[in-house]
């Protein structure tokens, strides 16, 4: 075990927080079973206690200890774990404290792909809850420096996993009631999920089943204007596609939604540091990771739901 991983595991055992890199975004981690440790997460983020956390596990065997993994959940885990897929299932009754679940009788589980994250969870031997490491309402951190800037002072150990390859939070699906519902679009796309479990249940409106979706999210300080055809005076334009805006501020010059996802939160933060009058963002197709990007951009622009 590396010194870094050992220090992170010690911190978890002592009930302290850690910065946990994953392939999606940096997380703020704690022992899922320790309510005092979990309370530190809500305090550090300024997060509402109505908003439950994701329990990170090393594999499906560990997921089965905390969640009721029915046939649908098993198929999803088999297809997408380890990776950016979070499954909301019935809670089995042990291992993830009430506060972490916001008192719900369900639990969100995910096995991350990043080897450093897996090493920590494996060595700890139990579930690690970790929301994105931003303060509530701010863009998720996708680099070590951004994570340290957001919540670094609250942690006892910080792991540097480099820039996050995906750059957007995991896809969240619910299997409650024997149907698969998309609660939050993410790196695993709707069509990838449907290829495994068939058509998703109709959307019943945002936020109804995923408390975290009710709040304004992912917003930098500068106002965000989406579907912009160009920059207005004082704005920075985050372009998409060949020749749109300045190369430095391009989400993807080749018009690739996966590349745009990987850059989105970092560029929103960098643009914000220049104190522009606003941040304009070029239209983004809805294919591939586009659905998740457009979801985050609508929220950053203040259109919730
Ligand atoms: O990629 C990710 O998912 C990152 C990394 C660190 O793993 N984590 C993350 O966590 O984005 P957070 O806390 O920012 O988002 C968790 C989402 C929230 O929208 C929350 O409401 C939802 O998952 N959630 C958690 N437990 C739930 C449950 N039992 N039922 C419905 N939604 C739940
Ligand atoms: Mg978050």
């Amino acid at each position: 075990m590396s010194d870094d991983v050992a220090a992170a595991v010690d911190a978890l055992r002592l009930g302290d927080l850690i910065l946990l890199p994953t392939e999606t975004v940096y997380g703020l981690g704690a022992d899922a079973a320790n309510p005092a440790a979990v309370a530190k997460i809500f305090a550090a983020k300024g997060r509402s206690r109505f908003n439950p956390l994701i329990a990170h596990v090393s594999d499906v065997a560990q997921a089965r200890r905390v969640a009721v993994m029915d046939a649908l959940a098993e198929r999803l885990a088999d297809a997408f774990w380890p990776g950016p897929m979070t499954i909301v299932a019935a809670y089995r009754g042990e291992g993830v404290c009430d506060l972490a679940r916001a008192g719900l009788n369900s639990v969100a589980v995910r096995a991350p792909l990043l080897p450093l994250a897996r090493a920590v969870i494996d060595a700890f031997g139990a579930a690690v809850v970790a929301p994105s490491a931003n303060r509530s309402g701010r863009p998720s951190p996708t680099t070590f420096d951004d994570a340290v800037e957001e919540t670094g002072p609250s942690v006892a150990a910080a792991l540097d996993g480099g820039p996050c390859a995906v750059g957007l939070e995991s896809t969240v699906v619910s299997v409650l009631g024997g149907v698969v519902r998309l609660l939050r679009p993410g790196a695993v796309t709707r069509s990838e999920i449907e290829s495994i479990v068939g058509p998703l249940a109709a959307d019943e409106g945002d936020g109804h089943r995923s408390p975290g979706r009710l709040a304004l999210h992912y917003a930098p300080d500068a106002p965000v204007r989406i579907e912009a055809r160009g920059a207005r005076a004082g704005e920075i334009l985050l372009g998409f596609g060949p020749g749109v805006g300045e190369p430095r501020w391009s989400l993807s010059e080749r018009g690739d939604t996966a590349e745009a996802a990987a850059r989105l939160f970092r560029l929103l933060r960098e643009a914000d540091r220049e104190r522009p009058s606003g941040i304009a963002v070029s239209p983004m197709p809805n294919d591939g990771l586009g659905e998740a990007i457009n979801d985050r951009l609508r929220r950053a622009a203040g259109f919730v739901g």
Side-chain angles (χ1 to χ4, degrees), residues 25 45 47 51 131-134 137-138 140 169 184 217-218:
V25 301
K45 283 181 61 87
R47 179 173 172 122
N51 192 1
S132 48
N134 51 291
R138 306 217 346 113
S140 299
E169 304 84 355
R184 178 174 76 182
H217 250 76
Y218 314 109

Side-chain angles (χ1 to χ4, degrees), residues 20-28 45 47 50-56 84-89 100-101 104-110 112 130-134 140 168-172 174 176 183-184 209-214 217-218 296:
L20 179 71
T22 80
E23 73 281 13
T24 57
V25 301
Y26 275 74
L28 184 62
K45 283 181 61 87
R47 179 173 172 122
F50 294 107
N51 192 1
L53 307 177
I54 296 171
H56 295 72
M85 156 67 63
T86 295
I87 302 170
V88 173
R101 298 181 347 273
L104 299 174
N105 55 15
S106 58
V107 64
V109 284
R110 154 163 133 82
S132 48
N134 51 291
S140 299
L168 285 183
E169 304 84 355
S170 61
T171 304
V172 180
S174 161
L176 297 173
L183 302 185
R184 178 174 76 182
R209 289 159 201 273
S210 194
R213 309 279 296 161
L214 292 168
H217 250 76
Y218 314 109
R296 305 306 190 272

Side-chain angles (χ1 to χ4, degrees), residues 53-136:
L53 307 177
I54 296 171
H56 295 72
V57 294
S58 44
D59 54 24
V60 69
Q62 203 183 39
R64 289 185 197 120
R65 293 207 279 275
V66 297
V68 178
M69 297 290 285
D70 66 6
L72 284 171
E74 291 280 345
R75 262 152 71 199
L76 289 166
D78 190 50
F80 302 116
W81 281 3
M85 156 67 63
T86 295
I87 302 170
V88 173
Y91 181 51
R92 195 173 276 295
E94 248 178 280
V96 182
C97 66
D98 278 356
L99 179 59
R101 298 181 347 273
L104 299 174
N105 55 15
S106 58
V107 64
V109 284
R110 154 163 133 82
L113 176 63
L114 191 77
L116 194 50
R118 304 182 66 187
V120 171
I121 302 162
D122 260 340
F124 182 57
V128 176
V129 279
S132 48
N134 51 291
R135 295 189 304 278
S136 257

Side-chain angles (χ1 to χ4, degrees), residues 69-288:
M69 297 290 285
D70 66 6
L72 284 171
E74 291 280 345
R75 262 152 71 199
L76 289 166
D78 190 50
F80 302 116
W81 281 3
M85 156 67 63
T86 295
I87 302 170
V88 173
Y91 181 51
R92 195 173 276 295
E94 248 178 280
V96 182
C97 66
D98 278 356
L99 179 59
R101 298 181 347 273
L104 299 174
N105 55 15
S106 58
V107 64
V109 284
R110 154 163 133 82
L113 176 63
L114 191 77
L116 194 50
R118 304 182 66 187
V120 171
I121 302 162
D122 260 340
F124 182 57
V128 176
V129 279
S132 48
N134 51 291
R135 295 189 304 278
S136 257
R138 306 217 346 113
S140 299
T142 55
T143 68
F144 180 69
D145 287 349
D146 287 343
V148 169
E149 183 186 312
E150 285 288 326
T151 48
S154 319
V155 305
L159 293 171
D160 185 350
C164 301
V166 173
L168 285 183
E169 304 84 355
S170 61
T171 304
V172 180
V173 298
S174 161
V175 296
L176 297 173
V179 287
V180 183
R181 277 175 219 283
L182 183 61
L183 302 185
R184 178 174 76 182
V188 177
T189 64
R190 183 186 289 273
S191 61
E192 285 170 332
I193 300 167
E194 291 187 332
S195 76
I196 302 296
V197 293
L200 295 175
D203 197 343
E204 291 178 10
D206 242 13
H208 286 283
R209 289 159 201 273
S210 194
R213 309 279 296 161
L214 292 168
L216 174 67
H217 250 76
Y218 314 109
D221 290 331
V224 174
R225 191 165 64 82
I226 55 178
E227 315 261 329
R229 297 286 164 184
R232 295 177 184 156
E235 280 183 342
I236 289 175
L237 175 70
L238 302 188
F240 181 81
V244 183
E246 290 173 43
R248 172 181 174 201
W249 295 115
S250 179
L251 288 166
S252 172
E253 287 184 272
R254 57 173 200 266
D256 173 9
T257 51
E259 184 173 63
R263 292 183 181 169
L264 177 67
F265 287 142
R266 182 174 56 76
L267 284 183
L268 282 174
R269 283 169 180 281
E270 281 178 17
D272 216 20
R273 283 191 196 108
E274 313 263 315
R275 302 263 154 240
S277 63
I279 301 172
V281 188
S282 295
M284 180 74 51
N286 227 36
D287 57 73

